[in-house]
Amino acid sequence: MSRDQIYRLRAPASGREARAPAKPGSVYVDRETGEEMEPVGRVLPIAPTGSALTHTPENLRICRRCDQLIGLDISDCPHCGLRQPALDGGS
Ligand SMILES: [Zn+2]
């Protein structure tokens, strides 16, 4: 049985993110904005217990509002929706 690799997809203009099984060369479009989304990273499979994290701790930060751990590169908290401050990426 083959399992599709799940990728994080990001729409460059809006910064919206989604997760979908993506294959190289395929194009994915945001359902709401119609924007083309680019794969930005792989999502590790989540264990049946639900205890596995999709990010390693050094890639996490804590949301100011709800204190949940979220990915460093996530623009909006997936738990409470709070907009996260931009990281100093040097770009
Ligand atoms: Zn939050």
Side-chain angles (χ1 to χ4, degrees), residues 63 66 77 80:
C63 175
C66 67
C77 176
C80 71

Side-chain angles (χ1 to χ4, degrees), residues 10-76:
R10 178 181 294 154
S14 64
R16 288 168 49 82
E17 291 197 358
R19 293 179 183 198
K23 295 180 180 62
S26 299
V27 173
Y28 293 84
V29 175
D30 191 304
R31 275 183 305 208
E32 293 184 28
T33 66
E35 226 185 310
E36 196 171 304
M37 304 187 83
E38 299 174 344
V40 292
R42 290 193 301 176
V43 177
L44 298 177
I46 298 176
T49 61
S51 63
L53 295 172
T54 57
H55 296 270
T56 52
E58 57 266 31
N59 290 329
L60 294 171
R61 60 176 159 182
I62 297 174
C63 175
R64 319 194 285 280
R65 182 192 282 167
C66 67
D67 289 338
Q68 296 293 313
L69 286 171
I70 59 177
L72 273 179
D73 51 356
I74 290 177
S75 57
D76 297 285

